[in-house]
Amino acid sequence: MTTTSPRDKNASRDVEEAAIIAAKPDVISNTKKVFIKTYGCQMNVYDSERMADVLAPIGYAPVETPDQADLVILNTCHIREKAAEKVYSELGRIRQHKEANKPEMKVAVAGCVAQAEGAEIMRRAPVVDMVLGPQTYHKLPEMIAKVHRKSGEVLETEFDTIEKFDSLPKTRNVKGFSAFLTVQEGCDKFCTFCVVPYTRGAEVSRPVDQIVMEARDLAAQGVREITLIGQNVDAYHAEGPDGSEWGLGELIRHVALIGGIDRIRFTTSHPRDMDDALIKVIGEEPKLMPYLHLPIQSGSNKILRAMNRDHTYDHYKQLIAKIRAARPEIALSGDFIVGFPGETEADFEQTMKCVEEIGYASSFSFKYSIRPGTPGASMHRQVPEDVKQDRLVRLQALLYKQQEEHNKSLIGKTLSVLVEGKGRKGGQLFGRSPYLTGTHFDGPEELIGQIVDVRIEEAGRNSLVGVLA
Ligand code: 5AD
Ligand code: SF4
């Protein structure tokens, strides 16, 4: 992992220039265009929005396609294989477009591939002008200034999460009624399959007042639903306004006090860090939606141990029982990996048993993908591709059946739906149920942005159809 930040003698001038540009947004009108392509998780979605916020004061307006862009940013994901290869083939297309149509266009690679591969990206893809890791995008203005002065390659992959959050613009430019808000970044868990602790760094929690200010700003812009996000969000801890140590539960209760915010979610949880205080809040806080993403990855204790998950299947099962006792209507979602090194058919059957016993309303399931540099990569008894594929198909058949059954169990019920926009058909609206299910129904456009009651009449695996109640 590279953590270098090469600087030349002009570095302080870059900072000054960037600061001057940033301080005088009116000097440069929004004539430049930035296209940001986001890969991967919600953290990247949030980061892309914040990159746009950082670039707005220096005159960049976001666009939906790379065609007219003066700056293209690929915000990349490194969680599974082929992610880096996808980035390189996208860079090939961008190079062609740049050479044919827009020679002055600048290209940046951000996110976790940038963090993992560093300068290698510039060597392999000379079209790239800037490489910046997930903790350095607040430096974009100074990096752009440097690129325009042609003062050498621009690579920023330091880990300074606190500095990043302190430097981001205080107000966000959000579209829509539901927003992500990063409260915690990085991970200290070191699951043996996962690159996140290397690409995102150690766990860092943002200060309570910074989060509350951001949530208030979102509410002022019409946001009704906030998802508090972190790689290991249950590990959130920071000093509260009363001087005591706050966990995620206290933070949720506090955000729930903000007028205009009617729905709260949080993700991603880890079974080791979900404590009784948080479960109490899940049971008591009405603004918290009854939907919880709590990955287990495998139902086999042997594989959980090899994955360094630090808990057993029984621990997980007991946790789920407590959560369901606190909030009986809660819908569960999980992540699963099949074909981790050493996984036998018997281990896989434990995962199937886990799914049968727990019951999931939604899920994400993957074949184990070797990530260079993680302990799993060098483990013996890697599972052949065809076995992984076969297990994935069997697991997904079960998970998808459960998902459809969950959706069908909602027929006849009235659900509150946050209306996000127009549906596919004329006169139709689209929104999200408390369980995050996409829901279609007929209604006037004035309802967009409101939370309305919808009686569910039809249910498929991925969506619901209903009528205004
Ligand atoms: N191979 C397959 N799936 C992975 N995940 C993380 N790393 C890997 C990997 N190397 C999955 C886990 C995690 C989700 C975000 O991605 O299930 O919870
Ligand atoms: Fe990766 Fe495990 Fe941390 Fe999740 S808890 S981000 S899977 S290391």
Side-chain angles (χ1 to χ4, degrees):
M1 244 16 68
T2 171
T3 53
T4 53
S5 172
R7 292 184 175 273
D8 60 24
K9 59 182 179 332
N10 290 319
S12 60
R13 230 181 77 200
D14 296 331
V15 180
E16 273 165 36
E17 268 183 19
I20 291 166
I21 296 169
K24 296 186 177 173
D26 49 337
V27 173
I28 302 168
S29 61
N30 272 6
T31 51
K32 287 171 283 177
K33 299 188 171 59
V34 56
F35 170 69
I36 307 179
K37 179 162 179 170
T38 309
Y39 301 80
C41 67
Q42 295 103 330
M43 307 289 295
N44 269 12
V45 174
Y46 177 86
D47 290 349
S48 291
E49 287 180 18
R50 299 311 321 256
M51 281 189 236
D53 292 338
V54 167
L55 290 169
I58 59 164
Y60 283 88
V63 285
E64 300 293 319
T65 65
D67 305 346
Q68 298 306 315
D70 302 284
L71 171 64
V72 170
I73 303 176
L74 302 184
N75 193 11
T76 62
C77 169
H78 205 234
I79 198 92
R80 276 171 295 276
E81 219 174 352
K82 301 205 182 96
E85 288 316 310
K86 269 193 226 153
V87 172
Y88 285 114
S89 49
E90 181 73 28
L91 286 170
R93 281 190 290 276
I94 289 170
R95 181 174 56 89
Q96 280 173 358
H97 167 63
K98 174 173 164 145
E99 283 169 1
N101 312 308
K102 213 147 183 357
E104 71 289 0
M105 188 175 89
K106 302 292 177 232
V107 180
V109 176
C112 292
V113 176
Q115 188 68 41
E117 308 240 323
E120 174 65 16
I121 297 177
M122 287 187 177
R123 269 194 294 279
R124 264 187 74 177
V127 69
V128 176
D129 301 288
M130 291 165 263
V131 172
L132 58 151
Q135 308 307 347
T136 59
Y137 57 79
H138 57 295
K139 295 186 179 165
L140 266 169
E142 70 183 88
M143 295 176 84
I144 292 169
K146 198 169 167 181
V147 165
H148 280 283
R149 279 212 330 280
K150 299 189 174 60
S151 45
E153 65 177 30
V154 185
L155 174 75
E156 292 281 358
T157 49
E158 280 170 357
F159 288 107
D160 198 337
T161 320
I162 304 280
E163 183 197 303
K164 176 182 77 177
F165 283 118
D166 284 349
S167 319
L168 290 177
K170 298 290 169 259
T171 184
R172 285 173 61 179
N173 183 9
V174 285
K175 289 194 226 83
F177 309 97
S178 179
F180 295 127
L181 200 175
T182 294
V183 301
Q184 179 278 331
E185 263 206 84
C187 183
D188 296 343
K189 285 277 183 278
F190 288 92
C191 299
T192 53
F193 52 80
C194 186
V195 285
V196 166
Y198 311 95
T199 56
R200 290 266 169 178
E203 279 172 11
V204 175
S205 296
R206 292 179 71 186
V208 171
D209 50 350
Q210 208 181 63
I211 294 167
V212 171
M213 250 167 49
E214 195 170 317
R216 284 210 188 103
D217 173 55
L218 291 171
Q221 294 186 53
V223 167
R224 311 283 306 267
E225 174 181 277
I226 290 182
T227 305
L228 305 174
I229 58 173
Q231 256 94 31
N232 183 14
V233 74
D234 302 350
Y236 179 85
H237 65 102
E239 193 184 314
D242 55 0
S244 72
E245 176 93 339
W246 277 20
L248 183 63
E250 282 93 350
L251 185 68
I252 291 169
R253 287 197 205 271
H254 209 67
V255 171
L257 297 176
I258 297 173
I261 300 301
D262 296 304
R263 290 174 150 203
I264 301 172
R265 304 177 185 278
F266 63 93
T267 198
T268 294
S269 290
H270 189 292
R272 248 296 144 233
D273 290 338
M274 175 154 283
D275 59 15
D276 288 346
L278 182 55
I279 296 174
K280 199 163 180 309
V281 177
I282 292 176
E284 290 176 358
E285 178 49 61
K287 288 189 180 177
L288 199 56
M289 291 294 96
Y291 173 91
L292 177 67
H293 183 61
L294 189 59
I296 182 163
Q297 316 293 355
S298 167
S300 153
N301 286 336
K302 183 189 94 190
I303 296 297
L304 287 172
R305 208 164 37 245
M307 286 175 163
N308 192 32
R309 291 290 291 178
D310 197 27
H311 65 84
T312 59
Y313 173 49
D314 272 349
H315 172 84
Y316 183 81
K317 217 164 111 175
Q318 281 160 20
L319 197 57
I320 299 289
K322 270 200 224 169
I323 294 165
R324 283 189 164 141
R327 190 88 182 246
E329 80 276 28
I330 203 150
L332 278 179
S333 154
D335 287 344
F336 301 89
I337 296 177
V338 297
F340 186 76
E343 186 189 74
T344 60
E345 178 62 21
D347 293 316
F348 173 68
E349 276 161 17
Q350 294 293 307
T351 302
M352 295 289 277
K353 183 166 156 255
C354 154
V355 175
E356 295 276 12
E357 285 183 351
I358 303 286
Y360 290 89
S362 106
S363 62
F364 303 86
S365 45
F366 314 98
K367 288 184 272 187
Y368 171 64
S369 163
I370 292 178
R371 308 314 294 128
T374 60
S378 52
M379 283 183 186
H380 298 303
R381 297 198 294 141
Q382 296 286 334
V383 175
E385 182 59 27
D386 57 336
V387 177
K388 285 187 203 171
Q389 180 62 27
D390 173 68
R391 289 180 188 165
L392 186 68
V393 169
R394 284 151 67 199
L395 177 63
Q396 288 185 338
L398 177 59
L399 288 166
Y400 294 162
K401 183 167 111 340
Q402 290 190 345
Q403 185 169 323
E404 188 159 348
E405 278 167 8
H406 176 261
N407 286 350
K408 292 227 179 317
S409 75
L410 301 172
I411 293 175
K413 296 208 167 114
T414 297
L415 303 181
S416 70
V417 171
L418 171 56
V419 189
E420 290 184 358
K422 287 196 245 176
R424 259 175 265 129
K425 296 183 198 151
Q428 209 181 41
L429 297 174
F430 174 83
R432 298 258 166 211
S433 80
Y435 312 111
L436 266 185
T437 348
T439 306
H440 302 265
F441 57 98
D442 286 342
E445 280 178 34
E446 299 84 81
L447 294 183
I448 293 173
Q450 294 191 31
I451 295 171
V452 297
D453 282 342
V454 176
R455 203 178 64 252
I456 304 305
E457 295 191 327
E458 287 172 47
R461 187 174 98 199
N462 294 316
S463 60
L464 305 170
V465 180
V467 290
L468 279 170

